[in-house]
């Protein structure tokens, strides 16, 4: 049975098909299954096949644990709020976009994950989603049954924190994923919010600021090319997500075959039972982190004499108090604190940003992705799609995509960019009508609303969306073209260099606002590539790994002019003059320029030619090197030289000798660089002894087209499939990435058989009563 995305509602909700799905799963359970077949191919890619959705989740969890059990088990510790218990409260957790100490992480998860509400939400979700989760729990636990803790990789061998999971653990993990680009940014501000003492003064309006949007911490590039731009007249997709090299947000490759002809290959992160980026025989898709904001901040007017009550429509409303208890290691008493929440979300406190809890005002955060259990249904619908129009329908019907653009191409030659996610239903007019004295001051950073009026609660606004308070898909950005669309994390307003999108609500991002240098590089390189000829796989590979540095092409000559006669910087300037202006492994001096650029002052006078919204790809431009501006540039270069010298890194070293990934005693050269200087192949690194190592950037890179038989996909998983250093699949694809080599993915039965590693593993067990 072939199910299309335009039938997604029928698949998920219609009585007949839902009953069929439930009956199938029940029958499988009565026959003794959870059951799945797991076949591995080159680079240990897992191909999971099951006749039921429970079986799909079962097989995916088991296969994922085979490669990443220690990382996944630790992630369940994190979302349970037990890091302090097992690793100590002072340790660190890479929590969302910003790290946090373990105690802050525990307080956040124990206070912000509402298990009763999530359990209720699960009961109201689709039978398929419920079956996938049940299967994942069973598959993870089956792996632990088959592999006792004493036999696990040394990172978690005999660890007390490795234990079977429950449905609650999966609900917690999904909630964390949904909040990754919103509430998790404010974990510390939520976990440490406390009522003010008598000495806390009113916040200074001039001092209020908020954390920057996610990019460049989480980023990505994505391209979809249609029939007018490709060599064969079919669609072609390039996916280049920028995600962490360590931790549970790493991608993992899988190919899933399930009920009703579901046949999708791609990747997911920890805990996802289906591919969330990938392709089927007709459609390929990728995601990039959107510029939209998936939350609003409310300013509350507090009741006189009571900082834990707030005024709404002239009436005092008491805040809800929650006692949070975090278990401590050893014999220590649990840590306890009281957090406060309101109808507008939990109270947040950012004293360093001027947004603090005083006796007169407080700030809260309301997140559109709280309780979002629709994501898997959205990705299920995408996986069943045969055209990009059906992809658009799947994400529009569910509003389940949490915080990413969707970019897709199909075999018919259509290209889609859809910035359709779970965002608050607030229009430009609504924001203006519910503004506060501070709203305009933080415009572009957050959406700040007045919490003293019930009419400003977006959850109560009329909406055509299926989800209360969420912006309907029709009010968000989506376009289908025959040439190309692309995104590198800038606003929806420009996904094709020649045709800006109409203005939408500012919560979706700025309109006719300045692009990042990486976005500008994307448009410049894409347009140049298409001007030279139609897009195909080889040209797509060249586009992804061209490794040009736009800022160098724009500014380096001017910097070198400043160097004339400066003896103190003669060596550095000489290195930069000989650099090939790329970030390839053999590029000498690339790391010096990157270090310099990251120290440049920026600001309104950095460029002589200012930003022109009618010419966004070419402006701003012309580096200002006159007077004080030139001195600041030279100072930035001196500081870069000092930084590298102190770290023991030669100025003229090759990039591949500086930035490496260790695998045992082997050091693998890593090309690319941070996005700030305008590098498409983004790789952000940290200093280590004698060099640097990547922490975040190009991860699962896929180039997907179509022939008469099915998809044609070349891909690389830059950090490889396993997190176990002892695994032969810990760095095998990293070596491919280093050499700019690609792996043709096996999709058909014949291709899988030809690339097979070992025998197919069949796992099954009796379903619990």
């Amino acid at each position: 049975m072939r199910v299309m995305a335009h039938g997604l509602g029928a698949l998920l909700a219609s009585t007949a098909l839902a009953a069929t799905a439930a009956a199938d799963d029940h029958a499988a359970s009565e026959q003794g299954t959870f059951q799945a077949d797991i076949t591995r191919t080159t680079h240990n890619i897992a191909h999971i096949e099951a006749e039921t959705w429970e079986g799909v989740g079962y097989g995916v969890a088991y296969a994922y644990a085979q490669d990443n059990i220690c990382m996944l088990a630790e992630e369940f510790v994190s979302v349970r709020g037990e890091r302090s218990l097992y690793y100590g409260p002072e340790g660190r957790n890479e929590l969302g976009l910003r790290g946090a100490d373990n105690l802050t992480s525990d307080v956040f998860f124990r206070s912000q994950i509402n298990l009763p509400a999530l359990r209720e939400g699960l009961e109201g979700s689709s039978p398929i989603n419920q079956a996938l989760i049940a299967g994942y729990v069973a598959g993870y636990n089956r792996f632990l049954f088959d592999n006792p803790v004493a036999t696990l990789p040394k990172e978690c061998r005999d660890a007390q924190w490795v234990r079977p999971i429950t449905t609650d653990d999966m609900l917690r993990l999904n909630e964390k994923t949904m909040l990754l680009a919103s509430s998790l940014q404010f974990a510390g501000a939520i976990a440490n919010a406390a009522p003010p003492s008598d000495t806390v003064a009113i916040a200074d309006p001039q001092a209020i600021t908020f954390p920057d949007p996610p990019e460049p911490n989480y980023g990505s590039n994505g391209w979809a090319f249609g029939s007018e731009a490709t060599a064969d007249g079919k669609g072609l997709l390039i996916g280049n997500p920028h995600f962490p090299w360590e931790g549970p947000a790493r991608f993992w490759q899988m190919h899933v075959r399930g009920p009703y002809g579901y046949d999708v290959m791609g990747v997911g992160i920890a805990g996802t039972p289906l591919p969330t980026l990938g392709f089927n025989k007709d459609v390929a898709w990728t995601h990039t982190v959107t510029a939209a904001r998936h939350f609003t901040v409310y300013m509350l007017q507090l009741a006189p004499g009571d900082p834990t009550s707030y005024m709404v429509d002239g009436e005092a409303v008491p805040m809800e108090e929650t006692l949070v208890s975090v278990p401590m290691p050893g014999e220590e008493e649990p840590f306890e604190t009281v957090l406060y929440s309101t109808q507008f979300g939990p109270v947040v406190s950012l004293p360093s940003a001027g947004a603090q809890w005083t006796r007169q005002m407080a700030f809260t955060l309301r997140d559109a992705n709280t309780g979002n259990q629709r994501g898997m249904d959205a990705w299920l619908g995408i996986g069943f799609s045969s055209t990009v129009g059906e992809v658009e329908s799947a994400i529009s019907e569910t509003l389940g995509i949490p915080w990413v653009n969707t970019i897709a191409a199909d075999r018919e030659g259509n290209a889609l960019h859809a910035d359709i996610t779970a965002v608050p239903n607030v229009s430009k007019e609504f924001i203006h009508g519910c503004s506060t004295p501070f709203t305009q001051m933080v415009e572009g950073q957050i959406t700040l609303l007045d919490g003293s009026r019930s009419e400003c609660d977006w959850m109560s606004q009329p909406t055509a969306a299926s989800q209360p308070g969420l912006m309907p898909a029709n009010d968000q950005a989506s376009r289908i073209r025959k040439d190309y669309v692309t995104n590198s994390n800038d606003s929806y307003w420009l996904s094709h260099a020649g045709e800006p999108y109409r203005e939408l609500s500012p919560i979706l991002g700025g309109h006719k606002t300045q692009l990042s240098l990486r976005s500008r590089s994307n448009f410049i390189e894409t347009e140049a590539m298409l001007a030279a000829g139609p897009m195909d796989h080889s040209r797509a590979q060249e586009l992804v790994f061209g490794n040009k540095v736009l800022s160098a092409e724009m500014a380096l000559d001017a910097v070198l002019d400043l160097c004339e006669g400066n003896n103190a910087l003669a060596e550095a300037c000489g290195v930069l003059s000989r650099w090939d202006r790329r970030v390839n492994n053999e590029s000498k001096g690339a790391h010096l320029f990157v270090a310099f650029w990251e120290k440049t002052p920026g600001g309104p006078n950095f460029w002589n030619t200012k930003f022109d919204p009618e010419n966004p790809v070419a402006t701003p431009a012309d580096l200002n090197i006159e007077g004080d501006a030139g001195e600041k540039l030279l100072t930035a270069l001196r500081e870069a030289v000092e930084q590298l010298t102190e770290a023991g890194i030669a100025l003229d070293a090759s990039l591949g000798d500086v930035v490496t990934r260790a695998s045992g005693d082997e050091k693998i050269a890593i090309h690319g660089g941070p996005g700030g200087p305008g590098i498409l192949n983004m790789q952000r690194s940290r200093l280590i002894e004698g060099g640097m190592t990547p922490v975040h950037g190009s991860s699962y890179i896929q180039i997907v087209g179509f022939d008469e038989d099915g998809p044609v996909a070349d891909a690389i998983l830059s950090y490889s499939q396993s997190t176990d250093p002892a695994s032969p699949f810990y760095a095998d694809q990293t070596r491919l990435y280093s050499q700019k080599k690609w792996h043709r993915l096996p999709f058909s039965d014949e291709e899988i058989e030809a690339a097979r590693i070992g025998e197919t593993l069949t796992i099954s067990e009796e379903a619990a009563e």
Side-chain angles (χ1 to χ4, degrees), residues 408-696:
D410 63 31
R411 67 166 51 251
E412 301 303 319
N414 301 298
L416 166 74
H417 168 241
D419 190 350
I420 298 174
T421 60
V423 291
N425 187 28
V426 294
S427 64
K428 184 177 182 179
E429 294 73 23
F430 180 95
I431 296 170
H432 177 75
C434 287
S435 65
T436 77
F438 300 166
T439 297
Q440 191 171 358
M441 299 173 189
V442 295
E443 186 177 8
Q445 295 176 296
I446 63 163
T447 301
L448 181 61
L449 302 175
D450 183 0
S452 69
R453 292 180 283 153
S454 59
E455 64 184 359
C456 294
D457 185 349
W458 46 264
M459 286 297 291
S460 65
Q461 298 306 303
T463 175
S466 59
Q467 300 300 321
L470 299 189
M471 183 178 291
N474 288 342
D475 292 336
Q476 301 187 54
S478 185
R479 59 175 20 167
I480 296 175
R481 300 180 64 95
K482 287 289 190 180
D483 45 9
Y484 79 87
V485 289
T486 186
N487 180 267
S488 291
N489 307 116
D490 267 309
S491 167
Y492 69 89
W493 81 273
L494 201 66
S495 58
H496 184 284
E499 188 176 333
Y501 203 85
R502 60 186 172 86
E503 185 175 6
L504 301 173
S505 168
I507 202 168
L508 298 172
H511 186 256
K512 294 196 172 180
T513 50
Q514 185 173 322
L515 304 175
S516 71
L517 283 176
R518 179 159 58 86
S519 286
R520 292 171 64 184
S521 178
N522 182 339
F523 286 118
I524 291 169
E525 297 305 316
T526 299
E527 293 275 342
M529 187 70 70
L530 293 176
M535 189 63 62
D536 58 19
H537 274 65
S538 63
R539 293 169 63 78
Q541 293 173 8
E542 184 181 348
L543 176 61
V544 174
F545 287 157
N547 285 344
K548 292 182 179 180
V549 184
L550 179 59
S551 57
E553 296 179 2
M554 295 173 63
L556 184 54
D557 288 340
V559 173
L560 293 175
D561 287 342
L562 279 174
C563 284
E564 292 294 331
N566 192 315
N567 294 330
L569 290 172
E571 180 187 2
C573 294
V575 170
L576 292 177
S577 69
R578 296 186 294 274
W579 172 45
D580 64 6
R581 306 188 185 193
R582 305 215 176 195
V583 282
N584 291 320
N585 287 334
E586 63 274 14
S587 298
K588 294 185 176 183
H591 61 295
L592 172 59
F593 182 83
V594 166
F596 155 70
W597 193 259
E598 291 183 338
K599 295 180 182 298
T600 55
N605 297 318
F606 190 68
W607 303 101
N608 286 317
T609 300
K610 306 306 179 187
F611 171 68
D612 179 358
E614 302 306 317
N615 192 14
V617 175
T619 61
D622 305 319
L623 187 68
N624 179 10
I625 61 173
E626 299 301 322
D628 184 57
E631 287 301 317
K632 289 180 179 178
L633 290 169
L634 292 175
T635 297
L637 184 54
R638 281 192 293 270
E639 291 175 351
V641 170
E642 292 169 1
Q643 174 184 310
L644 294 174
T645 301
E646 184 177 343
I649 301 173
L651 302 184
D652 63 348
S654 298
L655 182 65
D657 292 331
V658 174
V659 184
T660 59
R661 170 76 162 182
S663 177
D665 295 332
E666 179 186 10
K667 290 186 175 181
I668 303 170
I670 302 297
H671 55 90
I679 298 168
L680 274 177
N681 180 22
M682 198 278 272
Q683 291 291 3
R684 184 161 49 84
S685 302
R686 61 175 173 86
L687 286 171
I688 56 174
E689 184 177 353
M692 306 177 76
T693 195
V695 295
H696 193 112

Side-chain angles (χ1 to χ4, degrees), residues 336 359 405 480 622:
E336 293 187 341
R359 301 194 69 81
N405 295 278
I480 296 175
D622 305 319

